[in-house]
mmCIF file of all heavy atoms in Angstrom:
data_model
loop_
_atom_site.group_PDB
_atom_site.id
_atom_site.type_symbol
_atom_site.label_atom_id
_atom_site.label_comp_id
_atom_site.label_asym_id
_atom_site.label_seq_id
_atom_site.Cartn_x
_atom_site.Cartn_y
_atom_site.Cartn_z
ATOM 1 N N ASP A 15 -13.218 -28.275 -18.417
ATOM 2 C CA ASP A 15 -14.178 -29.321 -17.801
ATOM 3 C C ASP A 15 -14.760 -28.829 -16.533
ATOM 4 O O ASP A 15 -14.401 -27.786 -16.050
ATOM 5 C CB ASP A 15 -13.348 -30.560 -17.765
ATOM 6 C CG ASP A 15 -12.686 -31.028 -16.531
ATOM 7 O OD1 ASP A 15 -13.019 -30.441 -15.431
ATOM 8 O OD2 ASP A 15 -12.044 -32.063 -16.487
ATOM 9 N N TRP A 16 -15.789 -29.573 -16.106
ATOM 10 C CA TRP A 16 -16.581 -29.074 -15.022
ATOM 11 C C TRP A 16 -15.822 -28.908 -13.673
ATOM 12 O O TRP A 16 -16.268 -28.184 -12.809
ATOM 13 C CB TRP A 16 -17.843 -30.040 -14.915
ATOM 14 C CG TRP A 16 -17.338 -31.439 -14.382
ATOM 15 C CD1 TRP A 16 -17.018 -32.535 -15.191
ATOM 16 C CD2 TRP A 16 -17.236 -32.021 -13.096
ATOM 17 N NE1 TRP A 16 -16.682 -33.591 -14.484
ATOM 18 C CE2 TRP A 16 -16.721 -33.327 -13.157
ATOM 19 C CE3 TRP A 16 -17.338 -31.350 -11.904
ATOM 20 C CZ2 TRP A 16 -16.533 -34.013 -12.071
ATOM 21 C CZ3 TRP A 16 -17.154 -32.141 -10.788
ATOM 22 C CH2 TRP A 16 -16.788 -33.436 -10.913
ATOM 23 N N ARG A 17 -14.727 -29.713 -13.559
ATOM 24 C CA ARG A 17 -13.894 -29.593 -12.286
ATOM 25 C C ARG A 17 -13.324 -28.237 -12.153
ATOM 26 O O ARG A 17 -13.279 -27.719 -11.038
ATOM 27 C CB ARG A 17 -12.793 -30.616 -12.332
ATOM 28 C CG ARG A 17 -13.422 -31.966 -12.091
ATOM 29 C CD ARG A 17 -12.353 -33.014 -12.138
ATOM 30 N NE ARG A 17 -11.959 -33.102 -13.601
ATOM 31 C CZ ARG A 17 -11.439 -34.164 -14.209
ATOM 32 N NH1 ARG A 17 -11.106 -35.265 -13.480
ATOM 33 N NH2 ARG A 17 -10.956 -34.073 -15.446
ATOM 34 N N PHE A 18 -13.021 -27.554 -13.208
ATOM 35 C CA PHE A 18 -12.471 -26.184 -13.151
ATOM 36 C C PHE A 18 -13.572 -25.174 -12.540
ATOM 37 O O PHE A 18 -13.103 -24.441 -11.672
ATOM 38 C CB PHE A 18 -12.072 -25.630 -14.471
ATOM 39 C CG PHE A 18 -11.773 -24.232 -14.532
ATOM 40 C CD1 PHE A 18 -10.466 -23.814 -14.072
ATOM 41 C CD2 PHE A 18 -12.599 -23.208 -14.890
ATOM 42 C CE1 PHE A 18 -10.134 -22.404 -14.104
ATOM 43 C CE2 PHE A 18 -12.258 -21.864 -14.899
ATOM 44 C CZ PHE A 18 -10.989 -21.531 -14.376
ATOM 45 N N TRP A 19 -14.740 -25.374 -12.976
ATOM 46 C CA TRP A 19 -15.820 -24.514 -12.304
ATOM 47 C C TRP A 19 -16.040 -24.688 -10.952
ATOM 48 O O TRP A 19 -16.598 -23.847 -10.278
ATOM 49 C CB TRP A 19 -17.080 -24.549 -13.175
ATOM 50 C CG TRP A 19 -16.659 -24.052 -14.617
ATOM 51 C CD1 TRP A 19 -16.754 -24.768 -15.761
ATOM 52 C CD2 TRP A 19 -16.446 -22.738 -15.085
ATOM 53 N NE1 TRP A 19 -16.392 -24.096 -16.857
ATOM 54 C CE2 TRP A 19 -16.249 -22.655 -16.448
ATOM 55 C CE3 TRP A 19 -16.306 -21.558 -14.427
ATOM 56 C CZ2 TRP A 19 -15.830 -21.619 -17.164
ATOM 57 C CZ3 TRP A 19 -15.929 -20.372 -15.063
ATOM 58 C CH2 TRP A 19 -15.816 -20.458 -16.481
ATOM 59 N N ARG A 20 -15.715 -25.886 -10.405
ATOM 60 C CA ARG A 20 -16.015 -26.187 -8.981
ATOM 61 C C ARG A 20 -14.759 -25.751 -8.153
ATOM 62 O O ARG A 20 -14.864 -25.715 -6.924
ATOM 63 C CB ARG A 20 -16.303 -27.616 -8.800
ATOM 64 C CG ARG A 20 -17.639 -27.871 -9.593
ATOM 65 C CD ARG A 20 -18.017 -29.421 -9.190
ATOM 66 N NE ARG A 20 -18.157 -29.529 -7.757
ATOM 67 C CZ ARG A 20 -19.098 -30.193 -7.087
ATOM 68 N NH1 ARG A 20 -19.948 -30.850 -7.903
ATOM 69 N NH2 ARG A 20 -19.151 -30.297 -5.909
ATOM 70 N N SER A 21 -13.632 -25.439 -8.767
ATOM 71 C CA SER A 21 -12.332 -25.014 -8.052
ATOM 72 C C SER A 21 -12.556 -23.555 -7.599
ATOM 73 O O SER A 21 -13.320 -22.860 -8.101
ATOM 74 C CB SER A 21 -11.234 -25.299 -8.847
ATOM 75 O OG SER A 21 -11.110 -24.244 -9.923
ATOM 76 N N PRO A 22 -11.796 -23.168 -6.589
ATOM 77 C CA PRO A 22 -11.693 -21.732 -6.173
ATOM 78 C C PRO A 22 -11.334 -20.779 -7.423
ATOM 79 O O PRO A 22 -12.031 -19.754 -7.603
ATOM 80 C CB PRO A 22 -10.713 -21.684 -5.199
ATOM 81 C CG PRO A 22 -10.558 -23.043 -4.532
ATOM 82 C CD PRO A 22 -10.844 -23.868 -5.731
ATOM 83 N N LEU A 23 -10.518 -21.181 -8.254
ATOM 84 C CA LEU A 23 -10.240 -20.292 -9.339
ATOM 85 C C LEU A 23 -11.329 -20.240 -10.348
ATOM 86 O O LEU A 23 -11.722 -19.149 -10.847
ATOM 87 C CB LEU A 23 -8.968 -20.747 -10.022
ATOM 88 C CG LEU A 23 -8.456 -20.085 -11.412
ATOM 89 C CD1 LEU A 23 -8.192 -18.561 -10.891
ATOM 90 C CD2 LEU A 23 -7.218 -20.702 -11.876
ATOM 91 N N GLY A 24 -12.009 -21.347 -10.511
ATOM 92 C CA GLY A 24 -13.279 -21.311 -11.344
ATOM 93 C C GLY A 24 -14.454 -20.457 -10.866
ATOM 94 O O GLY A 24 -15.029 -19.726 -11.543
ATOM 95 N N ILE A 25 -14.529 -20.535 -9.586
ATOM 96 C CA ILE A 25 -15.629 -19.749 -8.804
ATOM 97 C C ILE A 25 -15.264 -18.260 -9.027
ATOM 98 O O ILE A 25 -16.184 -17.385 -9.300
ATOM 99 C CB ILE A 25 -15.752 -20.207 -7.421
ATOM 100 C CG1 ILE A 25 -16.395 -21.555 -7.299
ATOM 101 C CG2 ILE A 25 -16.747 -19.221 -6.656
ATOM 102 C CD1 ILE A 25 -16.399 -22.174 -6.013
ATOM 103 N N ILE A 26 -14.066 -17.841 -8.763
ATOM 104 C CA ILE A 26 -13.654 -16.431 -9.046
ATOM 105 C C ILE A 26 -13.898 -16.020 -10.365
ATOM 106 O O ILE A 26 -14.378 -14.965 -10.539
ATOM 107 C CB ILE A 26 -12.184 -16.295 -8.346
ATOM 108 C CG1 ILE A 26 -12.111 -16.438 -6.931
ATOM 109 C CG2 ILE A 26 -11.586 -14.939 -8.895
ATOM 110 C CD1 ILE A 26 -10.634 -16.451 -6.342
ATOM 111 N N SER A 27 -13.453 -16.836 -11.338
ATOM 112 C CA SER A 27 -13.592 -16.447 -12.729
ATOM 113 C C SER A 27 -15.066 -16.380 -13.070
ATOM 114 O O SER A 27 -15.425 -15.347 -13.807
ATOM 115 C CB SER A 27 -13.038 -17.608 -13.603
ATOM 116 O OG SER A 27 -11.737 -17.735 -13.356
ATOM 117 N N LEU A 28 -15.973 -17.125 -12.598
ATOM 118 C CA LEU A 28 -17.360 -17.031 -12.843
ATOM 119 C C LEU A 28 -18.004 -15.693 -12.143
ATOM 120 O O LEU A 28 -18.753 -15.072 -12.866
ATOM 121 C CB LEU A 28 -18.181 -18.235 -12.196
ATOM 122 C CG LEU A 28 -19.587 -18.268 -12.459
ATOM 123 C CD1 LEU A 28 -19.886 -18.372 -13.947
ATOM 124 C CD2 LEU A 28 -20.254 -19.499 -11.786
ATOM 125 N N CYS A 29 -17.491 -15.349 -10.968
ATOM 126 C CA CYS A 29 -17.952 -14.201 -10.377
ATOM 127 C C CYS A 29 -17.520 -12.892 -11.119
ATOM 128 O O CYS A 29 -18.283 -11.993 -11.305
ATOM 129 C CB CYS A 29 -17.434 -14.037 -8.872
ATOM 130 S SG CYS A 29 -18.212 -15.275 -7.860
ATOM 131 N N LEU A 30 -16.214 -12.919 -11.608
ATOM 132 C CA LEU A 30 -15.798 -11.812 -12.459
ATOM 133 C C LEU A 30 -16.514 -11.762 -13.730
ATOM 134 O O LEU A 30 -16.847 -10.534 -14.212
ATOM 135 C CB LEU A 30 -14.311 -11.883 -12.681
ATOM 136 C CG LEU A 30 -13.415 -11.715 -11.356
ATOM 137 C CD1 LEU A 30 -12.021 -11.904 -11.712
ATOM 138 C CD2 LEU A 30 -13.650 -10.165 -10.936
ATOM 139 N N ALA A 31 -16.914 -12.815 -14.272
ATOM 140 C CA ALA A 31 -17.508 -12.802 -15.623
ATOM 141 C C ALA A 31 -18.968 -12.290 -15.543
ATOM 142 O O ALA A 31 -19.518 -11.800 -16.550
ATOM 143 C CB ALA A 31 -17.490 -14.267 -16.241
ATOM 144 N N THR A 32 -19.554 -12.626 -14.422
ATOM 145 C CA THR A 32 -21.006 -12.271 -14.300
ATOM 146 C C THR A 32 -21.165 -10.999 -13.537
ATOM 147 O O THR A 32 -22.290 -10.616 -13.144
ATOM 148 C CB THR A 32 -21.824 -13.343 -13.647
ATOM 149 O OG1 THR A 32 -21.182 -13.607 -12.450
ATOM 150 C CG2 THR A 32 -21.812 -14.589 -14.480
ATOM 151 N N ALA A 33 -20.116 -10.296 -13.093
ATOM 152 C CA ALA A 33 -20.308 -9.098 -12.213
ATOM 153 C C ALA A 33 -20.902 -7.859 -12.976
ATOM 154 O O ALA A 33 -21.394 -6.906 -12.349
ATOM 155 C CB ALA A 33 -18.901 -8.691 -11.793
ATOM 156 N N GLY A 34 -20.964 -7.949 -14.217
ATOM 157 C CA GLY A 34 -21.582 -6.778 -14.916
ATOM 158 C C GLY A 34 -20.740 -5.793 -15.455
ATOM 159 O O GLY A 34 -19.511 -5.727 -15.102
ATOM 160 N N PRO A 35 -21.051 -5.054 -16.471
ATOM 161 C CA PRO A 35 -20.238 -4.050 -17.102
ATOM 162 C C PRO A 35 -19.801 -2.923 -16.037
ATOM 163 O O PRO A 35 -20.633 -2.490 -15.293
ATOM 164 C CB PRO A 35 -21.020 -3.392 -18.228
ATOM 165 C CG PRO A 35 -22.500 -3.758 -17.896
ATOM 166 C CD PRO A 35 -22.389 -5.025 -17.031
ATOM 167 N N GLY A 36 -18.580 -2.511 -16.192
ATOM 168 C CA GLY A 36 -17.990 -1.500 -15.364
ATOM 169 C C GLY A 36 -17.754 -1.819 -14.002
ATOM 170 O O GLY A 36 -17.284 -1.022 -13.242
ATOM 171 N N SER A 37 -18.000 -2.966 -13.570
ATOM 172 C CA SER A 37 -17.792 -3.264 -12.118
ATOM 173 C C SER A 37 -16.421 -3.679 -11.779
ATOM 174 O O SER A 37 -15.996 -3.565 -10.657
ATOM 175 C CB SER A 37 -18.747 -4.424 -11.638
ATOM 176 O OG SER A 37 -18.518 -5.606 -12.345
ATOM 177 N N ARG A 38 -15.679 -4.192 -12.668
ATOM 178 C CA ARG A 38 -14.372 -4.566 -12.448
ATOM 179 C C ARG A 38 -13.398 -3.315 -12.557
ATOM 180 O O ARG A 38 -13.330 -2.644 -13.526
ATOM 181 C CB ARG A 38 -13.714 -5.717 -13.402
ATOM 182 C CG ARG A 38 -14.165 -6.949 -13.122
ATOM 183 C CD ARG A 38 -13.788 -7.918 -14.104
ATOM 184 N NE ARG A 38 -14.649 -8.047 -15.169
ATOM 185 C CZ ARG A 38 -14.567 -8.533 -16.309
ATOM 186 N NH1 ARG A 38 -13.455 -9.206 -16.651
ATOM 187 N NH2 ARG A 38 -15.473 -8.588 -17.238
ATOM 188 N N GLY A 39 -12.685 -2.992 -11.409
ATOM 189 C CA GLY A 39 -11.824 -1.830 -11.395
ATOM 190 C C GLY A 39 -12.522 -0.576 -11.401
ATOM 191 O O GLY A 39 -11.944 0.486 -11.447
ATOM 192 N N ALA A 40 -13.808 -0.474 -11.221
ATOM 193 C CA ALA A 40 -14.578 0.742 -11.177
ATOM 194 C C ALA A 40 -14.341 1.409 -9.887
ATOM 195 O O ALA A 40 -14.415 0.789 -8.866
ATOM 196 C CB ALA A 40 -15.996 0.529 -11.550
ATOM 197 N N LYS A 41 -14.064 2.753 -9.986
ATOM 198 C CA LYS A 41 -13.838 3.482 -8.671
ATOM 199 C C LYS A 41 -15.185 3.930 -8.166
ATOM 200 O O LYS A 41 -16.040 4.588 -8.885
ATOM 201 C CB LYS A 41 -13.054 4.673 -8.966
ATOM 202 C CG LYS A 41 -12.752 5.439 -7.752
ATOM 203 C CD LYS A 41 -11.819 6.698 -8.036
ATOM 204 C CE LYS A 41 -11.571 7.541 -6.990
ATOM 205 N NZ LYS A 41 -10.931 8.689 -7.231
ATOM 206 N N ARG A 42 -15.560 3.608 -6.887
ATOM 207 C CA ARG A 42 -16.837 3.945 -6.343
ATOM 208 C C ARG A 42 -16.684 5.410 -5.889
ATOM 209 O O ARG A 42 -15.633 5.942 -5.515
ATOM 210 C CB ARG A 42 -17.037 3.072 -5.098
ATOM 211 C CG ARG A 42 -17.293 1.646 -5.416
ATOM 212 C CD ARG A 42 -17.548 0.827 -4.168
ATOM 213 N NE ARG A 42 -19.092 0.885 -4.157
ATOM 214 C CZ ARG A 42 -19.774 0.514 -3.171
ATOM 215 N NH1 ARG A 42 -19.214 0.051 -2.131
ATOM 216 N NH2 ARG A 42 -21.121 0.485 -3.206
ATOM 217 N N ASP A 43 -17.865 6.077 -5.967
ATOM 218 C CA ASP A 43 -17.881 7.448 -5.423
ATOM 219 C C ASP A 43 -17.648 7.356 -4.004
ATOM 220 O O ASP A 43 -18.231 6.570 -3.193
ATOM 221 C CB ASP A 43 -19.215 8.142 -5.667
ATOM 222 C CG ASP A 43 -19.420 8.395 -7.199
ATOM 223 O OD1 ASP A 43 -18.509 8.635 -7.922
ATOM 224 O OD2 ASP A 43 -20.616 8.358 -7.624
ATOM 225 N N VAL A 44 -16.682 8.297 -3.540
ATOM 226 C CA VAL A 44 -16.443 8.329 -2.093
ATOM 227 C C VAL A 44 -16.734 9.821 -1.560
ATOM 228 O O VAL A 44 -16.648 10.735 -2.381
ATOM 229 C CB VAL A 44 -15.041 7.978 -1.803
ATOM 230 C CG1 VAL A 44 -14.703 6.524 -2.089
ATOM 231 C CG2 VAL A 44 -13.963 8.849 -2.478
ATOM 232 N N CYS A 45 -17.049 9.947 -0.308
ATOM 233 C CA CYS A 45 -17.233 11.179 0.257
ATOM 234 C C CYS A 45 -15.919 11.819 0.580
ATOM 235 O O CYS A 45 -15.012 11.166 1.112
ATOM 236 C CB CYS A 45 -18.010 10.898 1.601
ATOM 237 S SG CYS A 45 -18.525 12.504 2.360
ATOM 238 N N PRO A 46 -15.719 13.103 0.253
ATOM 239 C CA PRO A 46 -14.435 13.732 0.608
ATOM 240 C C PRO A 46 -14.174 13.676 2.044
ATOM 241 O O PRO A 46 -15.083 13.822 2.858
ATOM 242 C CB PRO A 46 -14.683 15.154 0.154
ATOM 243 C CG PRO A 46 -15.726 15.017 -0.863
ATOM 244 C CD PRO A 46 -16.643 13.978 -0.532
ATOM 245 N N SER A 47 -13.005 13.484 2.508
ATOM 246 C CA SER A 47 -12.606 13.349 3.972
ATOM 247 C C SER A 47 -13.058 14.542 4.767
ATOM 248 O O SER A 47 -13.409 14.403 5.942
ATOM 249 C CB SER A 47 -11.187 13.013 4.057
ATOM 250 O OG SER A 47 -10.437 14.059 3.677
ATOM 251 N N GLU A 48 -13.122 15.753 4.214
ATOM 252 C CA GLU A 48 -13.404 16.972 4.906
ATOM 253 C C GLU A 48 -14.886 17.221 5.021
ATOM 254 O O GLU A 48 -15.252 18.340 5.422
ATOM 255 C CB GLU A 48 -12.568 18.132 4.436
ATOM 256 C CG GLU A 48 -12.771 18.481 2.937
ATOM 257 C CD GLU A 48 -11.847 17.751 1.978
ATOM 258 O OE1 GLU A 48 -11.949 16.499 1.852
ATOM 259 O OE2 GLU A 48 -11.019 18.374 1.318
ATOM 260 N N CYS A 49 -15.681 16.338 4.472
ATOM 261 C CA CYS A 49 -17.218 16.499 4.341
ATOM 262 C C CYS A 49 -17.862 15.444 4.900
ATOM 263 O O CYS A 49 -17.301 14.388 5.307
ATOM 264 C CB CYS A 49 -17.544 16.664 2.874
ATOM 265 S SG CYS A 49 -16.687 17.894 1.937
ATOM 266 N N GLU A 50 -19.155 15.568 5.087
ATOM 267 C CA GLU A 50 -20.099 14.562 5.535
ATOM 268 C C GLU A 50 -21.148 14.265 4.446
ATOM 269 O O GLU A 50 -21.606 15.289 3.859
ATOM 270 C CB GLU A 50 -20.851 14.979 6.810
ATOM 271 C CG GLU A 50 -19.986 15.156 7.952
ATOM 272 C CD GLU A 50 -20.759 15.488 9.218
ATOM 273 O OE1 GLU A 50 -21.996 15.493 9.218
ATOM 274 O OE2 GLU A 50 -20.095 15.928 10.172
ATOM 275 N N CYS A 51 -21.392 13.039 4.113
ATOM 276 C CA CYS A 51 -22.337 12.720 3.099
ATOM 277 C C CYS A 51 -23.422 11.764 3.602
ATOM 278 O O CYS A 51 -23.214 10.953 4.527
ATOM 279 C CB CYS A 51 -21.603 11.977 1.889
ATOM 280 S SG CYS A 51 -20.280 12.882 1.340
ATOM 281 N N SER A 52 -24.599 11.974 3.029
ATOM 282 C CA SER A 52 -25.722 11.064 3.451
ATOM 283 C C SER A 52 -26.608 10.817 2.211
ATOM 284 O O SER A 52 -26.557 11.473 1.199
ATOM 285 C CB SER A 52 -26.535 11.767 4.586
ATOM 286 O OG SER A 52 -27.114 12.949 3.936
ATOM 287 N N GLU A 53 -27.408 9.753 2.369
ATOM 288 C CA GLU A 53 -28.412 9.431 1.374
ATOM 289 C C GLU A 53 -27.812 9.170 0.024
ATOM 290 O O GLU A 53 -27.914 10.051 -0.834
ATOM 291 C CB GLU A 53 -29.599 10.384 1.328
ATOM 292 C CG GLU A 53 -30.277 10.406 2.527
ATOM 293 C CD GLU A 53 -31.496 11.345 2.524
ATOM 294 O OE1 GLU A 53 -32.096 11.422 1.476
ATOM 295 O OE2 GLU A 53 -31.889 11.946 3.505
ATOM 296 N N TRP A 54 -27.085 8.145 -0.208
ATOM 297 C CA TRP A 54 -26.419 7.854 -1.467
ATOM 298 C C TRP A 54 -27.284 7.851 -2.640
ATOM 299 O O TRP A 54 -26.828 7.878 -3.751
ATOM 300 C CB TRP A 54 -25.491 6.633 -1.320
ATOM 301 C CG TRP A 54 -24.384 6.873 -0.436
ATOM 302 C CD1 TRP A 54 -24.309 6.548 0.833
ATOM 303 C CD2 TRP A 54 -23.160 7.644 -0.739
ATOM 304 N NE1 TRP A 54 -23.068 7.071 1.333
ATOM 305 C CE2 TRP A 54 -22.363 7.687 0.413
ATOM 306 C CE3 TRP A 54 -22.690 8.250 -1.916
ATOM 307 C CZ2 TRP A 54 -21.167 8.200 0.456
ATOM 308 C CZ3 TRP A 54 -21.425 8.807 -1.904
ATOM 309 C CH2 TRP A 54 -20.680 8.780 -0.734
ATOM 310 N N THR A 55 -28.584 7.620 -2.593
ATOM 311 C CA THR A 55 -29.444 7.699 -3.700
ATOM 312 C C THR A 55 -29.771 9.016 -4.136
ATOM 313 O O THR A 55 -30.076 9.262 -5.330
ATOM 314 C CB THR A 55 -30.755 6.908 -3.434
ATOM 315 O OG1 THR A 55 -31.398 7.575 -2.281
ATOM 316 C CG2 THR A 55 -30.504 5.499 -3.154
ATOM 317 N N ALA A 56 -29.647 10.055 -3.185
ATOM 318 C CA ALA A 56 -29.809 11.459 -3.499
ATOM 319 C C ALA A 56 -28.833 12.123 -2.726
ATOM 320 O O ALA A 56 -29.149 12.708 -1.673
ATOM 321 C CB ALA A 56 -31.122 11.942 -3.308
ATOM 322 N N LEU A 57 -27.591 12.064 -3.092
ATOM 323 C CA LEU A 57 -26.468 12.494 -2.350
ATOM 324 C C LEU A 57 -26.518 13.894 -1.865
ATOM 325 O O LEU A 57 -26.673 14.853 -2.632
ATOM 326 C CB LEU A 57 -25.151 12.211 -3.154
ATOM 327 C CG LEU A 57 -23.823 12.411 -2.460
ATOM 328 C CD1 LEU A 57 -23.731 11.475 -1.231
ATOM 329 C CD2 LEU A 57 -22.632 12.138 -3.366
ATOM 330 N N LYS A 58 -26.377 13.976 -0.625
ATOM 331 C CA LYS A 58 -26.186 15.326 0.064
ATOM 332 C C LYS A 58 -24.922 15.380 0.720
ATOM 333 O O LYS A 58 -24.420 14.574 1.475
ATOM 334 C CB LYS A 58 -27.362 15.414 1.117
ATOM 335 C CG LYS A 58 -28.659 15.386 0.527
ATOM 336 C CD LYS A 58 -29.753 15.447 1.615
ATOM 337 C CE LYS A 58 -31.191 15.245 1.025
ATOM 338 N NZ LYS A 58 -32.274 15.330 2.123
ATOM 339 N N VAL A 59 -24.188 16.522 0.397
ATOM 340 C CA VAL A 59 -22.812 16.794 0.974
ATOM 341 C C VAL A 59 -22.773 18.000 1.710
ATOM 342 O O VAL A 59 -23.218 18.980 1.299
ATOM 343 C CB VAL A 59 -21.798 16.752 -0.219
ATOM 344 C CG1 VAL A 59 -20.351 16.949 0.218
ATOM 345 C CG2 VAL A 59 -21.861 15.538 -1.112
ATOM 346 N N THR A 60 -22.252 17.897 2.900
ATOM 347 C CA THR A 60 -22.007 19.069 3.700
ATOM 348 C C THR A 60 -20.567 19.196 4.023
ATOM 349 O O THR A 60 -19.928 18.165 4.653
ATOM 350 C CB THR A 60 -22.839 18.980 5.081
ATOM 351 O OG1 THR A 60 -24.174 18.828 4.743
ATOM 352 C CG2 THR A 60 -22.596 20.223 5.868
ATOM 353 N N CYS A 61 -19.927 20.319 3.767
ATOM 354 C CA CYS A 61 -18.504 20.588 3.970
ATOM 355 C C CYS A 61 -18.353 21.736 4.959
ATOM 356 O O CYS A 61 -18.954 22.861 4.694
ATOM 357 C CB CYS A 61 -17.727 20.894 2.701
ATOM 358 S SG CYS A 61 -17.923 19.513 1.481
ATOM 359 N N LYS A 62 -17.597 21.576 5.929
ATOM 360 C CA LYS A 62 -17.307 22.667 6.990
ATOM 361 C C LYS A 62 -15.909 22.904 7.103
ATOM 362 O O LYS A 62 -15.037 22.040 6.993
ATOM 363 C CB LYS A 62 -17.866 22.315 8.296
ATOM 364 C CG LYS A 62 -19.396 22.162 8.437
ATOM 365 C CD LYS A 62 -19.746 21.814 9.797
ATOM 366 C CE LYS A 62 -21.341 21.672 9.892
ATOM 367 N NZ LYS A 62 -21.783 21.484 11.259
ATOM 368 N N GLU A 63 -15.562 24.242 7.291
ATOM 369 C CA GLU A 63 -14.159 24.630 7.473
ATOM 370 C C GLU A 63 -13.209 24.177 6.382
ATOM 371 O O GLU A 63 -12.123 23.749 6.812
ATOM 372 C CB GLU A 63 -13.691 24.209 8.877
ATOM 373 C CG GLU A 63 -14.596 24.739 10.061
ATOM 374 C CD GLU A 63 -14.138 24.455 11.362
ATOM 375 O OE1 GLU A 63 -12.979 23.862 11.567
ATOM 376 O OE2 GLU A 63 -14.931 24.572 12.331
ATOM 377 N N ILE A 64 -13.615 24.300 5.202
ATOM 378 C CA ILE A 64 -12.714 23.984 4.026
ATOM 379 C C ILE A 64 -12.090 25.217 3.512
ATOM 380 O O ILE A 64 -12.615 26.294 3.550
ATOM 381 C CB ILE A 64 -13.508 23.137 2.972
ATOM 382 C CG1 ILE A 64 -14.616 24.002 2.383
ATOM 383 C CG2 ILE A 64 -13.965 21.828 3.475
ATOM 384 C CD1 ILE A 64 -15.276 23.491 1.240
ATOM 385 N N ASP A 65 -10.891 25.115 2.864
ATOM 386 C CA ASP A 65 -10.290 26.201 2.279
ATOM 387 C C ASP A 65 -10.151 26.062 0.776
ATOM 388 O O ASP A 65 -9.738 26.948 0.095
ATOM 389 C CB ASP A 65 -8.955 26.643 2.814
ATOM 390 C CG ASP A 65 -7.917 25.469 2.863
ATOM 391 O OD1 ASP A 65 -8.407 24.428 2.263
ATOM 392 O OD2 ASP A 65 -6.845 25.579 3.403
ATOM 393 N N ARG A 66 -10.609 25.080 0.220
ATOM 394 C CA ARG A 66 -10.777 24.715 -1.189
ATOM 395 C C ARG A 66 -11.987 23.830 -1.416
ATOM 396 O O ARG A 66 -12.439 23.138 -0.569
ATOM 397 C CB ARG A 66 -9.456 23.978 -1.748
ATOM 398 C CG ARG A 66 -9.305 22.683 -1.043
ATOM 399 C CD ARG A 66 -8.165 21.916 -1.747
ATOM 400 N NE ARG A 66 -8.017 20.588 -0.946
ATOM 401 C CZ ARG A 66 -8.744 19.527 -1.187
ATOM 402 N NH1 ARG A 66 -9.825 19.488 -2.032
ATOM 403 N NH2 ARG A 66 -8.539 18.486 -0.509
#
Side-chain angles (χ1 to χ4, degrees):
D15 103 6
W16 66 272
R17 288 177 290 206
F18 172 79
W19 296 110
R20 293 186 62 140
S21 71
L23 182 58
I25 292 170
I26 291 170
S27 298
L28 182 61
C29 289
L30 289 174
T32 59
S37 61
R38 280 179 274 170
K41 183 179 177 187
R42 297 185 89 185
D43 288 332
V44 295
C45 185
S47 61
E48 59 270 68
C49 303
E50 293 180 11
C51 302
S52 64
E53 298 184 32
W54 286 98
T55 57
L57 187 59
K58 296 177 183 178
V59 179
T60 301
C61 303
K62 292 182 179 181
E63 299 183 14
I64 57 172
D65 56 7
R66 63 173 180 75

